[in-house]
Amino acid sequence: MYIFKAAVVGAGFMGAGIAQVITYSGLPVVLKDVDQKMLDKGMEQLRGIYQRRVDSGKMSAGEMQEKVSLVIPTLTYDEFSDVDIVIEAVPEVMSVKKKVFAELDEVCPEHTIFASNTSALSISEMGAATKRPQKMIGMHFFSPAHVMKLVEIIPGLDTSQETIDDVVMFAESLRKIPVVVQECPGFLVNRLLMPYLGEATFALQEGAATAREIDETMVKFGWPMGPFTLMDMLGIDVVYHTAKYLGEEYGVEIPPLFEMMYKAGRLGEKAGAGFYGYGDQTDEPVRAMIKQLQDEGKVPTGTEFSWQRLMMPMINEAIQCVTENIAPPDKIDMAMIAGTGMKYGEERMGPLQLADVLGLDVVLAELERLRAQFGNRFRPARLLKTKVRAGHLGKKVGKGFFEYTT
Ligand SMILES: NC(=O)c1ccc[n+]([C@@H]2O[C@H](COP(=O)([O-])OP(=O)(O)OC[C@H]3O[C@@H](n4cnc5c(N)ncnc54)[C@H](O)[C@@H]3O)[C@@H](O)[C@H]2O)c1
């Protein structure tokens, strides 16, 4: 199905960004909110993205005007009778999303695809609340939507293949990189990122290294920014809620420092204070929280920090995703590269190729060593053991998660 007209519901930070992406590709988009102020703010954000292109000489003022006029900002459903796809970007609350989809069911034609930009909630559950579960799908844009190339496409249990194909094509027409991911908590990128961010925070609260030392090491490793800079950017509220949810779903512990920072309002860059202090703020309160955790004997002290300690949990989770068929190995790596900008040295490299390059036997030995020190969150994925036993040791033997010509 060709998409001639789209709609975005929720003109907040993500919704406005997604509407900009759609107009940039030349399609008209209805942008709906329930709050005139938010709608105005969303339009301002969208114009701002174009204005920066004009200011840097990438676009003329006339072209900007043409693109902006493709948006139909509204507080009503009057313009929804001929939309082919709706992307929902309202707050991350299941009852709010279900209510929006129930309203959309009444005003949209039968063929309209319902996509949700949820970061974590169940697509199958949302689909079951509509009259068209076969047309319900996750379309997870990354922030900021106009910059980040990756879009995770998440079919629910009842989503039809036709809907998946249509949405993949639509995402490609927006010049994005779509990766189809089976439904699981955190989908793919957040599921893999969280053990890495969590381990960085475990290391910090144990006094293994400072936030700055850890950030510098990971940038040297190849990441575009260190884990604490990233978390401050994402927002500690988002990190804490995601970590808590994934911790419960996958049965893993999360660092207590997240909750302490969240409760203290150190929500990251937007609050002027997170792992780092911004403006006239310092990181002294975080150091005091760490001291308190250590004094109360709530965390071990004197542990080691190494890039391996952070990367092994991510590699292990990626292997678990292969086992669960969340996505094939090449797509897992592509999603991580496009979604996070990860590299190893100068080379763009996802976690599975990284495992192959390091050697799967080396990864297994490293996980076993870290498990002996830190416990079961380092328990090696079974598929890793199977591969090592079968001699699929990675690049050095020509076969691991990928094949190599030697
Ligand atoms: N912020 C991120 O980094 C990010 C990244 C990826 C996905 N997401 C997801 O995108 C969604 C939106 O997040 P956000 O950060 O843009 O939130 P936001 O709070 O900035 O925007 C939400 C908007 O929805 C509007 N809204 C509320 N109820 C509505 C209704 N019934 N109908 C229409 N509009 C309504 C609000 O007025 C607001 O403008 C969430 O599901 C979030 O998990 C966020």
Side-chain angles (χ1 to χ4, degrees):
M1 181 183 76
Y2 190 78
I3 289 169
F4 292 98
K5 183 176 172 187
V8 174
V9 179
F13 180 66
M14 289 306 290
I18 295 167
Q20 189 276 337
V21 170
I22 295 172
T23 56
Y24 190 63
S25 79
L27 270 191
V29 63
V30 185
L31 181 60
K32 182 190 183 294
D33 208 287
V34 283
D35 181 337
Q36 184 65 48
K37 268 197 209 123
M38 291 305 288
L39 192 58
D40 293 344
K41 201 168 153 217
M43 285 303 292
E44 205 179 295
Q45 179 187 331
L46 184 145
R47 274 193 213 98
I49 298 169
Y50 278 122
Q51 191 59 53
R52 283 192 290 279
R53 291 190 71 79
V54 172
D55 293 346
S56 60
K58 290 183 185 146
M59 179 177 257
S60 71
E63 281 167 326
M64 167 175 166
Q65 190 43 44
E66 224 171 84
K67 299 285 187 198
V68 173
S69 66
L70 288 169
V71 189
I72 308 162
T74 179
L75 295 176
T76 74
Y77 283 119
D78 293 350
E79 285 285 342
F80 281 66
S81 60
D82 59 349
V83 295
D84 303 305
I85 187 167
V86 181
I87 301 172
E88 164 278 310
V90 301
E92 189 77 336
V93 180
M94 183 56 94
S95 58
V96 178
K97 293 194 188 280
K98 281 184 178 170
K99 183 172 168 285
V100 166
F101 284 119
E103 290 167 5
L104 288 167
D105 245 343
E106 299 306 315
V107 295
C108 294
E110 249 173 52
H111 77 270
T112 308
I113 293 171
F114 287 177
S116 173
N117 184 48
T118 179
S119 312
L121 301 175
S122 167
I123 302 301
S124 302
E125 187 178 342
M126 282 181 223
T130 71
K131 294 178 193 154
R132 59 184 90 190
Q134 78 285 0
K135 293 269 178 194
M136 181 80 213
I137 197 158
M139 211 176 169
H140 184 210
F141 289 78
F142 286 72
S143 165
H146 70 288
V147 175
M148 300 301 289
K149 285 277 171 215
L150 179 68
V151 180
E152 288 181 328
I153 307 287
I154 308 110
L157 288 177
D158 299 311
T159 311
S160 69
Q161 189 57 47
E162 192 188 355
T163 302
I164 301 172
D165 295 343
D166 287 345
V167 170
V168 166
M169 255 173 51
F170 175 57
E172 279 169 351
S173 76
L174 301 178
R175 286 173 254 195
K176 295 291 180 192
I177 300 173
V179 174
V180 178
V181 174
Q182 297 313 310
E183 188 173 321
C184 65
F187 308 138
L188 181 64
V189 172
N190 286 340
R191 176 173 171 179
L192 263 55
L193 206 49
M194 202 38 83
Y196 162 81
L197 298 177
E199 204 50 48
T201 310
F202 278 121
L204 176 71
Q205 68 185 19
E206 290 165 11
T210 65
R212 202 163 295 283
E213 283 164 351
I214 295 173
D215 272 1
E216 279 171 9
T217 304
M218 299 321 288
V219 168
K220 223 179 271 167
F221 176 88
W223 287 88
M225 67 181 81
F228 297 106
T229 308
L230 177 62
M231 285 190 273
D232 273 1
M233 254 179 67
L234 293 172
I236 304 304
D237 46 345
V238 174
V239 170
Y240 168 59
H241 286 124
T242 310
K244 199 161 165 253
Y245 168 65
L246 295 186
E248 278 158 15
E249 289 288 329
Y250 293 108
V252 292
E253 51 183 324
I254 66 165
L257 188 58
F258 283 156
E259 187 171 351
M260 291 172 90
M261 290 183 58
Y262 172 70
K263 287 194 169 152
R266 289 192 73 94
L267 302 186
E269 229 181 297
K270 62 186 169 192
F275 284 103
Y276 294 106
Y278 302 89
D280 57 358
Q281 302 286 323
T282 71
D283 66 350
E284 187 49 48
V286 180
R287 280 188 269 149
M289 288 175 206
I290 293 170
K291 185 168 182 310
Q292 187 190 334
L293 282 171
Q294 293 179 354
D295 287 349
E296 289 172 359
K298 289 188 176 150
V299 296
T301 52
T303 59
E304 67 158 54
F305 163 68
S306 60
W307 64 257
Q308 285 88 345
R309 183 175 171 187
L310 271 57
M311 292 308 300
M312 293 302 144
M314 176 186 282
I315 291 174
N316 206 31
E317 199 65 35
I319 299 172
Q320 193 53 39
C321 286
V322 176
T323 312
E324 292 175 26
N325 280 323
I326 298 301
D330 58 328
K331 301 289 184 198
I332 292 179
D333 275 10
M334 192 166 79
M336 289 308 286
I337 293 168
T340 71
M342 96 176 259
K343 287 195 292 182
Y344 180 42
E346 287 305 308
E347 207 179 325
R348 287 181 183 280
M349 196 180 290
L352 294 168
Q353 195 191 339
L354 175 62
D356 275 359
V357 167
L358 297 173
L360 299 193
D361 49 341
V362 175
V363 171
L364 178 58
E366 197 59 26
L367 280 165
E368 294 287 19
R369 187 183 71 76
L370 290 161
R371 183 190 188 187
Q373 208 176 336
F374 300 109
N376 269 339
R377 63 179 191 270
F378 286 93
R379 186 169 67 191
R382 227 165 335 142
L383 178 61
L384 175 63
K385 288 186 176 174
T386 308
K387 284 195 177 271
V388 171
R389 287 188 193 124
H392 296 201
L393 303 184
K395 195 169 179 188
K396 60 189 166 193
V397 299
K399 193 160 40 171
F401 285 98
F402 302 99
E403 300 212 338
Y404 304 84
T405 43
T406 42

